[in-house]
Amino acid sequence: MSDPALIDIHDATIWRGTTRVFDGLTLSIQQHERVAVLGPNGSGKTTLLKTINRELYPVSREGSWVRILGRGQWNVWDLRRHIGIVSHDLHQRYRPTTTALEVVVSGFLSSIGVHGTLADRIGKEQQVAARDVLRELGMGSHETTPLKSMSTGQQRRCLLGRALVHNPDTLIFDEPTAGLDLAASFDYLDRVRTLARQGRNIIIVTHHLNEIPPEVDRVILLDEGTVVADGPKPEVVTEDLLSRVYRTAIRIVEVDGYYLAYPGTR
């Protein structure tokens, strides 16, 4: 029997608030794939991410489903052991006074920090695991450093540690370099590439081509709640397709496996 798909969405209608974002969405991502979900603002990327993260659910009807690893229902704490998510939105929800260690151990609780009584639920074994992750990310000397005293790149590494603390098979990065300067962006993307080479399933959700590492070989292109294209990166990341979806003239150049966009001629 083959392994269940990592993500299996069939004929799903998904609303975000009062907006119907997807109508009849069908999409499958297998385990051990490295995928980028690309599209402009408003294309449905965030809604898709929240659906995978079980923050949103499809309209219930016969023949329609969203399954993660073959299951339609998940306890969020169990799901975190399989899928880790790092996002700019999650980053912004942490208090500036939260320390590096608190950020990482909060991954065990799927919480934002470990303030109040939550701290009592963190055992010594979990603290040891969190410290190990911080050291692996070059943040071992910052255990007690509050986020407000770190660079944005260091803060983002703490969020990565939060996702890694369960040692999940799959990591989802939502706009991974948002808010980072060039040096921090290059460092962070190199860490993503290392995780991919180690065999992790990687999903990048972005509207920037330069955030897609060479190890990603499949691109899903969204526009206004529709899958416009889905396939090998060279077949999807084309000037014609991207110019149509982003509604502006775009030219593309490939450098060492990275695709970069720059203005085309109108």
Side-chain angles (χ1 to χ4, degrees):
M1 182 180 296
S2 60
D3 293 334
L6 173 65
I7 299 162
D8 181 21
I9 302 174
H10 182 74
D11 195 23
T13 297
I14 304 168
W15 292 71
R16 188 177 177 191
T18 58
T19 302
R20 185 176 64 186
V21 179
F22 293 108
D23 186 16
L25 174 66
T26 295
L27 181 66
S28 180
I29 298 175
Q30 301 302 313
Q31 296 186 53
H32 311 300
E33 282 197 278
R34 294 160 189 167
V35 179
V37 179
L38 179 67
N41 291 336
S43 61
K45 301 188 305 298
T46 299
T47 298
L48 179 61
L49 179 63
K50 288 181 177 294
T51 302
I52 296 169
N53 199 28
R54 313 315 274 157
E55 295 180 50
L56 294 175
Y57 287 84
V59 174
S60 179
R61 68 170 187 268
E62 186 176 353
S64 173
W65 64 75
V66 174
R67 295 172 182 159
I68 309 296
L69 293 169
R71 292 169 51 181
Q73 298 294 327
W74 278 93
N75 177 300
V76 67
W77 290 277
D78 292 337
L79 184 59
R80 291 298 167 270
R81 297 187 178 96
H82 299 276
I83 300 177
I85 295 179
V86 186
S87 72
H88 182 63
D89 175 65
L90 180 65
H91 186 167
Q92 297 301 307
R93 292 165 64 186
Y94 274 81
R95 298 179 185 175
T97 55
T98 307
T99 67
L101 186 61
E102 289 171 338
V103 172
V104 177
V105 296
S106 69
F108 288 112
L109 304 174
S110 294
S111 62
I112 306 299
V114 288
H115 309 286
T117 59
L118 286 176
D120 298 330
R121 296 170 57 185
I122 299 297
K124 290 184 178 179
E125 184 177 338
Q126 293 170 319
Q127 291 188 33
V128 169
R131 289 189 172 98
D132 287 344
V133 169
L134 282 172
R135 280 193 293 272
E136 290 172 8
L137 294 173
M139 295 292 293
S141 62
H142 293 276
E143 288 182 14
T144 60
T145 303
L147 292 174
K148 66 181 179 180
S149 299
M150 300 180 201
S151 68
T152 307
Q154 290 172 329
Q155 294 173 6
R156 197 64 52 82
R157 273 187 270 167
C158 291
L159 268 292
L160 177 56
R162 180 187 188 273
L164 287 172
V165 77
H166 283 297
N167 195 29
D169 294 326
T170 299
L171 289 165
I172 300 177
F173 296 90
D174 181 25
E175 299 184 16
T177 65
L180 302 185
D181 63 21
L182 281 178
S185 296
F186 293 163
D187 175 81
Y188 198 74
L189 289 176
D190 188 59
R191 294 177 189 279
V192 174
R193 295 189 69 183
T194 298
L195 291 165
R197 289 192 291 263
Q198 290 173 348
R200 309 261 186 176
N201 313 323
I202 300 291
I203 299 175
I204 306 281
V205 181
T206 182
H207 54 256
H208 294 302
L209 288 183
N210 65 292
E211 291 188 328
I212 303 175
E215 286 73 17
V216 166
D217 45 28
R218 176 185 172 191
V219 174
I220 299 165
L221 182 60
L222 298 180
D223 185 30
E224 296 184 335
T226 299
V227 177
V228 175
D230 179 1
K233 184 163 52 179
E235 296 179 11
V236 175
V237 183
T238 68
E239 294 178 353
D240 287 345
L241 268 176
L242 294 190
S243 295
R244 174 157 56 90
V245 166
Y246 282 86
R247 296 166 181 80
T248 190
I250 295 174
R251 297 189 69 183
I252 296 170
V253 62
E254 181 184 353
V255 180
D256 296 332
Y258 285 94
Y259 285 70
L260 307 176
Y262 63 99
T265 303
R266 293 184 180 274

